[in-house]
Amino acid sequence: MRHKFWETQPVKQFKDNGDISLPEGPIEPPIPLSEVKQEPYNLPNLYEWITCDIDSEETRAEVCNLLTHNYIEDDKNMFRFNYSKEFLRWALRPPGYCKSWHIGVRINFLCVHKKLRSKRLAPVMIKEVTRRVHLENIWQAAYTAGVVLPTPISSCLYWHRSLNPKKLIDVGFCRLGARMTMSRMIKLYKLPDSTCTPGFRQMELHDVPAVTQLLRNYLNQFEVAPDFDENDVKHWLLPTENVVDSYVVESPESHKITDFCSFYSLPSSILGNQKYSILKAAYSFYNVATKTPLLQLMNDVLIVANRKDYDVFNALDVMQNETFIKELKFGPGDGKLYYLYNYWLRDTLKPMELGLVLL
Ligand code: NHW
Ligand code: MG
């Protein structure tokens, strides 16, 4: 398959895959900022660039509305991600973000949506955001997509743990298998009311240094992972109601933080169901177990998510997630592909070699 746009970009091309003569690292070196194109890319007539002010309640609502009606759907178009305004505030304003990277396109009076597909607008938007990132002297990026582009560094799979099997079946998220009844299904996925690990509690502000240490030590072992400092941990992991939730295990004896787990909250709209309109989904984020077995820690997170009324708990097969996925009754779902922009990695990575979760 030809990729008219991606073949012109500094990303690993399919034809070079596995070429051992190429050095790992950046594909194109940085250039002086004065040589980065200073004017925005041209848009077709009647379209104009805008910078979305994510701090403004009104703009946030507009972006939220655009995504709610036009963002990612599953293969069968039964569900569509429904990012909340609070989630967008969190996802789009991490430490080091620049306002100018929140680009939007408007046509006169009308907001961009489904009707503007297949007009080669995506390449211009990607080039424009790349140009603005270059102007901040940043030359690499990581991204994920459901579609195959040149060239994934890894292909991962989503796994789903039913918490509310009745609703999941009602909305068509899963089906009753052969020789399975609703009541057996409900029993199969039933979880206890309270967590079992002593010292398991929600993360608090004063845990930030300890959690940062735990995470840094843990993420070190992966081929691709974020390099979190305390500021990042505070932003990405400190609990925010209905956005992100984190738990620690504080040793009852030493009061040391020995384990950590987290999930983010990303509901989906249920398309065309009479009874339900929203699927409440939790997504496994970063988990570090040094003392508590990971399986037990994750079982406790499932208990918490279930208590908070999530319908399903999702996890990618990244990091050490494979070690609990089967045992904790997750079932397989869609794939998610990971990519790097302007960085050559010789070999494709196994999901377990990835230490990065993107929203
Ligand atoms: S992935 C989610 C992407 N969004 C959705 O799936 C929502 C629903 N779909 C759409 O809105 C998570 C449209 O279908 C989109 C494409 C806008 C996806 N990534 O305008 P045209 C992210 O957000 C290529 C990258 O005609 P369209 C991560 C496609 O292969 N490229 O298509 C985003 C073709 O190029 P080719 C994608 O359907 C990371 C060209 O776009 C893509 O109207 C972005 C066609 O354009 C995708 N998901 O609009 C990269 N989907 O070469 C960041 C299609 O094959 C890179 N395409 O001819 C790093 C930037 C920063 C660098 C800093 C140094
Ligand atoms: Mg387009």
Side-chain angles (χ1 to χ4, degrees), residues 2 49 73 88 121 135 145 180 182 202 207 251-252 317 344:
R2 291 297 309 270
W49 291 117
E73 297 177 10
L88 291 179
L121 212 50
L135 287 171
M180 182 60 95
M182 188 63 91
Q202 200 175 43
D207 298 317
S251 159
D317 51 1
W344 174 271

Side-chain angles (χ1 to χ4, degrees), residues 68 130 177 225 231 262 266 268 342:
T68 298
T130 301
N231 231 350
S262 57
L266 170 51
S268 281
N342 193 24

Side-chain angles (χ1 to χ4, degrees), residues 120-290:
R120 310 299 300 180
L121 212 50
V124 203
M125 295 197 73
I126 293 168
K127 282 195 286 189
E128 180 63 10
V129 81
T130 301
R131 187 187 72 81
R132 295 186 190 200
V133 171
H134 282 165
L135 287 171
E136 303 298 328
N137 204 10
I138 295 171
W139 307 90
Q140 270 74 35
Y143 51 104
T144 55
V147 293
V148 180
L149 307 165
T151 300
I153 58 157
S154 188
S155 345
C156 300
L157 208 59
Y158 268 116
W159 290 77
H160 309 283
R161 197 332 178 148
S162 301
L163 301 175
N164 187 352
K166 170 127 185 21
K167 174 167 168 185
L168 294 180
I169 286 171
D170 280 355
V171 304
F173 187 86
C174 53
R175 268 181 281 161
L176 266 183
R179 284 182 288 125
M180 182 60 95
T181 62
M182 188 63 91
S183 59
R184 275 181 63 202
M185 179 98 155
I186 290 170
K187 204 168 148 208
L188 177 67
Y189 291 117
K190 192 163 172 52
L191 288 163
D193 292 329
S194 38
T195 56
C196 74
T197 309
F200 185 95
R201 61 163 174 82
Q202 200 175 43
M203 178 189 177
E204 291 165 19
L205 181 59
H206 63 90
D207 298 317
V208 166
V211 167
T212 306
Q213 260 322 306
L214 265 186
L215 262 172
R216 293 188 63 81
N217 286 338
Y218 180 68
L219 292 177
N220 228 333
Q221 65 182 296
F222 299 103
E223 298 292 321
V224 173
D227 179 29
F228 283 137
D229 62 20
E230 291 188 5
N231 231 350
D232 300 315
V233 167
K234 190 173 155 198
H235 175 85
W236 286 116
L237 297 166
L238 203 60
T240 302
E241 179 94 2
N242 290 321
V243 173
V244 61
D245 209 358
S246 299
Y247 294 82
V248 296
V249 179
E250 176 178 339
S251 159
E253 298 93 43
S254 67
H255 296 285
K256 280 216 170 79
I257 303 300
T258 57
D259 314 275
F260 170 79
C261 52
S262 57
F263 59 84
Y264 61 86
S265 178
L266 170 51
S268 281
S269 307
I270 301 169
L271 309 176
N273 188 281
Q274 302 295 314
K275 189 162 161 206
Y276 298 105
S277 60
I278 288 285
L279 188 72
K280 217 180 146 190
Y283 287 75
S284 170
F285 204 21
Y286 292 95
N287 311 304
V288 186
T290 69

